[in-house]
Amino acid sequence: MGEESMERYSRQVRFSPIGEKGQKSLSDKSVLIVGVGALGTVLANHLVRAGVGLVRFADRDYVEMSNLQRQMLFDEFDVKESLPKAVAAERKLKAINSNVKIEGIVTDVTIDNLPSLIEGIDLVLDGTDNFRTRFLLNDMCFKEGIPFAYGGAVSSRGMSALFIPGKTPCLRCFINQGDGNGQTCDTIGVISPVVDIVASYQVVEVLKYLVGDEKSLRGTLRSFDLWKNHQFDLKMHDAKESCPTCQTKEYPALVEAEDHVTTLCGRETVQIQRHEPIDLKRWATTLESVTETKLTPFLLRAQLPEGERLVLFPDGRVLVQGTEEISRAKSLYSKYMGG
């Protein structure tokens, strides 16, 4: 280690479980963070400051005023300039640590581009806001043998776990696809300390793994509610025998079709066709606390604070009116319907 690196990482090196050997190991590692919002900004901040050799992150959104309450790398200038989150985060982090290779990629992470994003990556971290993407990451990581650090935060609740192919069960063994019932930060809110704690739990386990101290790994799915003072650890012993990811190796997220997305020509509308029907009454109850809604026997209309409008139909169709940008429409859909 050079003199500058010794000074920069001196307090971390003095922590005996890491030491100089562990610090050198970190500098040789590469990680991918998917999502640079609330969780992702904390994850990236810690890992860049810790000296991980390559920190790559991908995000499709741009910075908005409502992000500033909990997304630590952004400021009012980023909002004014409508900067993509990946661009704004990359600028901030490069000013923090020039010794780390930082790659901010503006993209919607999909089945098609995920293989290139994980190329050369030692570990993937979850900074997303929806379970569709989480299951995609879970399945891709277990297929390719890459550890996956899961994290989720909403309201005053948080969850985190490090899943390691061949050594632990996977995310599907603990959480069913479709869990969440539309509960997102944009529908029921979130307090920023929950975000910080979840991301910190993720990073601690990641650091243990990257420096080779696997005996110190927590080995649990940790869930907590800060407001109600609850905490629970579910030990990761046995996988579900029928798990299609880590047991039967079917990797459903890698073969199932995504929700079909179409731009409706001349209508400034994007249509998202879900694979399941929509209960209009349930979604009216979910959305009415944050948007102006109108329910009819045939559809549910929700005027969003951002200016666009969602129109939900019982057959699974969702129209995002007010934009022709597919990435924008998918972001709003994830915000209010949980992906």
Side-chain angles (χ1 to χ4, degrees), residues 9-276:
Y9 305 120
S10 60
R11 304 307 188 269
Q12 188 163 279
V13 169
R14 289 173 187 168
F15 178 63
S16 59
I18 294 179
E20 286 194 39
K21 182 180 178 181
Q23 191 63 51
K24 176 62 169 62
S25 180
L26 290 178
S27 71
D28 292 334
K29 301 300 183 182
S30 301
V31 300
L32 169 68
I33 302 169
V34 177
V36 198
L39 289 174
T41 51
V42 182
L43 295 172
N45 177 67
H46 282 311
L47 292 171
V48 166
R49 290 180 186 273
V52 173
L54 167 65
V55 179
R56 177 183 297 159
F57 42 82
D59 194 285
R60 66 190 177 197
D61 287 338
Y62 61 88
V63 184
E64 300 176 278
M65 186 63 72
S66 63
N67 300 151
L68 301 187
Q69 170 249 354
R70 65 198 180 283
Q71 300 185 18
M72 66 178 302
L73 292 178
F74 308 136
D75 56 37
E76 293 179 1
F77 173 82
D78 302 324
V79 176
K80 182 180 179 181
E81 297 298 313
S82 295
L83 289 179
K85 291 182 179 180
V87 171
E90 182 183 277
R91 289 181 181 180
K92 298 290 194 330
L93 292 167
K94 283 184 173 179
I96 290 170
N97 193 344
S98 59
N99 294 331
V100 169
K101 185 175 181 182
I102 300 167
E103 296 178 359
I105 302 171
V106 183
T107 189
D108 181 20
V109 175
T110 66
I111 295 173
D112 296 323
N113 62 14
L114 185 54
S116 63
L117 291 171
I118 64 172
E119 189 172 346
I121 292 297
D122 296 297
L123 188 145
V124 174
L125 294 99
D126 173 17
T128 69
D129 60 2
N130 68 89
F131 275 101
R132 178 176 293 278
T133 306
R134 286 183 176 121
F135 283 113
L136 173 61
L137 298 178
N138 178 74
D139 287 12
M140 181 67 76
C141 284
F142 269 76
K143 181 180 180 183
E144 299 300 327
I146 301 172
F148 172 48
Y150 158 67
V154 68
S155 184
S156 58
R157 307 190 303 272
M159 296 180 72
S160 73
L162 178 62
F163 299 109
I164 305 174
K167 295 184 178 181
T168 75
C170 74
L171 179 64
R172 287 186 188 274
C173 292
F174 296 93
I175 300 175
N176 295 320
Q177 189 150 0
D179 282 359
N181 299 316
Q183 292 190 339
T184 72
C185 296
D186 292 86
T187 57
I188 64 171
V190 65
I191 54 174
S192 61
V194 172
V195 172
D196 294 340
I197 291 172
V198 170
S200 295
Y201 276 140
Q202 288 176 272
V203 171
V204 167
E205 297 304 293
V206 166
L207 291 177
K208 293 176 187 177
Y209 181 84
L210 294 180
V211 302
D213 189 12
E214 293 190 39
K215 67 180 184 299
S216 295
L217 290 173
R218 191 177 70 232
T220 69
L221 174 69
R222 173 163 292 175
S223 63
F224 62 88
D225 188 321
L226 280 184
W227 206 264
K228 296 181 180 178
N229 304 306
H230 295 163
Q231 180 169 300
F232 180 74
D233 281 293
L234 184 61
K235 292 186 177 180
M236 294 194 290
H237 287 314
D238 300 319
K240 285 185 177 179
E241 291 184 5
S242 60
C243 177
T245 296
C246 62
Q247 297 304 302
T248 63
K249 303 188 187 307
E250 299 169 56
Y251 310 113
L254 305 184
V255 296
E256 67 186 15
E258 294 193 21
D259 290 334
H260 188 63
V261 181
T262 307
T263 300
L264 304 186
C265 184
R267 293 179 55 186
E268 201 177 13
T269 297
V270 175
Q271 175 177 288
I272 299 174
Q273 178 65 59
R274 291 160 56 105
H275 293 283
E276 64 275 355

